[in-house]
Amino acid sequence: MTDHTTVPGSAQQKIDTSVPHSARIWNYWLGGKDNYPVDEQAGDAYSAVFPGIVTVARSSRAFLGRTIAHLVVEAGIRQFLDVGTGLPTEDNTHEVAQRLAPDARIVYVDHDPLVLTHARALLTSTPQGATAYVDADLTDPDRILSAAAGTLDLSRPTALILSNILGHVADHDQARSIVTRLMDGLPSGSYLSVNDGSRGVDADYERAQDAYNDSGAIPYFLRPVDRITAFFDGLELLDPGVVSVPLWRPDPSAPTPGPIGEHGGLARKP
């Protein structure tokens, strides 16, 4: 029988459709349908100032797919903890992983009531594998690990996925502490995949994001590349290190990519 469960939590709150929400705007840029007119308006206003945001969003999703494929095929990973997963679109973590390894097990974590509403789309699984959804906040690593242990065997290597989520934590030391606490709960041979918006590449992107943060919407803070790299302290970074996401092991048959204001990397816990 297909194993898919939702871990109940506190996300059964009213969804506010009167103000734009970053996860729903991101879903809109990715071509998803789980958003509202207020999110489309905010997304269009943002892309009018910085058209490259759609490229950033889709390059981020492509990076996620390439890292998961490496983890499954090259590293033999069969367990994934995807924190801050956002709304379901195409090529979600379980779809990429189970396409390559039907026995893969995936736990999604988010604290957005709309994501919980649509969690069933994240819970389709192969009969051999499993998916689960946990309603928990990024700032509560202990709850995340405890709940994830209901589906994953955390004594076995597990890949922690933090895709475009750490930018929601304004304080860099707090963000690093969250990453450290989550990785401390995973054994040797586990992996960390991080990608986030970066400063120092595209001034137009930085101005657009700063203006968005000042608008009253849920803010997302771009970080200098060295601060994104610091999330991997104590781990073994895989080549080519922390780079602009289109440059991380790009498809050799695709056109040569250029850098964008989104950096990421993949590292192994020794």
Side-chain angles (χ1 to χ4, degrees):
M1 183 175 179
T2 302
D3 186 354
H4 51 85
T5 56
T6 299
V7 178
S10 61
Q12 301 289 354
Q13 54 185 292
K14 186 176 185 294
I15 296 171
D16 187 350
T17 62
S18 66
V19 295
H21 190 290
S22 58
R24 300 193 305 252
I25 296 170
W26 194 258
N27 175 265
Y28 174 58
W29 286 330
L30 285 173
K33 301 186 187 324
D34 295 322
N35 45 74
Y36 294 95
V38 66
D39 305 305
E40 296 180 14
Q41 292 162 10
D44 289 342
Y46 193 117
S47 60
V49 176
F50 176 60
I53 189 60
V54 174
T55 298
V56 170
R58 296 182 181 183
S59 296
S60 168
R61 178 51 62 108
F63 167 83
L64 178 65
R66 294 196 304 277
T67 57
I68 293 171
H70 173 85
L71 288 164
V72 172
V73 176
E74 303 296 332
I77 295 295
R78 295 296 182 268
Q79 300 193 127
F80 295 83
L81 178 56
D82 187 336
V83 181
T85 182
L87 292 163
T89 52
E90 294 183 3
D91 277 346
N92 300 294
T93 296
H94 74 284
E95 293 170 326
V96 177
Q98 292 184 342
R99 190 181 303 142
L100 297 166
D103 60 334
R105 304 176 73 85
I106 296 91
V107 170
Y108 290 105
V109 181
D110 211 301
H111 197 54
D112 183 334
L114 187 63
V115 178
L116 180 58
T117 299
H118 292 273
R120 282 188 295 274
L122 294 170
L123 297 177
T124 56
S125 175
T126 59
Q128 305 96 313
T131 60
Y133 180 86
V134 174
D135 169 38
D137 193 275
L138 174 67
T139 59
D140 192 356
D142 294 337
R143 166 166 166 70
I144 290 172
L145 291 167
S146 175
T151 300
L152 307 179
D153 178 356
L154 297 185
S155 68
R156 295 175 51 216
T158 301
L160 173 63
I161 309 293
L162 296 168
S163 181
N164 290 105
I165 184 63
L166 294 171
H168 289 297
V169 182
D171 184 86
H172 181 61
D173 290 337
Q174 182 187 11
R176 287 188 66 186
S177 174
I178 290 167
V179 175
T180 298
R181 288 165 63 192
L182 287 169
M183 289 303 296
D184 283 348
L186 304 180
S188 173
S190 294
Y191 284 80
L192 171 65
S193 174
V194 171
N195 63 284
D196 260 306
S198 55
R199 290 190 177 274
V201 174
D202 193 325
D204 290 338
Y205 181 24
E206 294 168 25
R207 282 191 292 270
Q209 187 60 45
D210 291 344
Y212 175 85
N213 290 350
D214 291 339
S215 72
I218 297 174
Y220 178 85
F221 301 95
L222 307 181
R223 284 193 165 93
V225 177
D226 64 334
R227 291 202 161 192
I228 296 175
T229 303
F231 292 133
F232 297 99
D233 284 354
L235 306 176
E236 300 169 347
L237 266 170
L238 277 63
D239 289 335
V242 175
V243 296
S244 183
V245 292
L247 307 182
W248 196 92
R249 304 192 180 192
D251 182 348
S253 66
T256 303
I260 60 174
E262 172 89 10
H263 279 66
L266 180 66
R268 182 182 182 276
K269 181 175 180 178

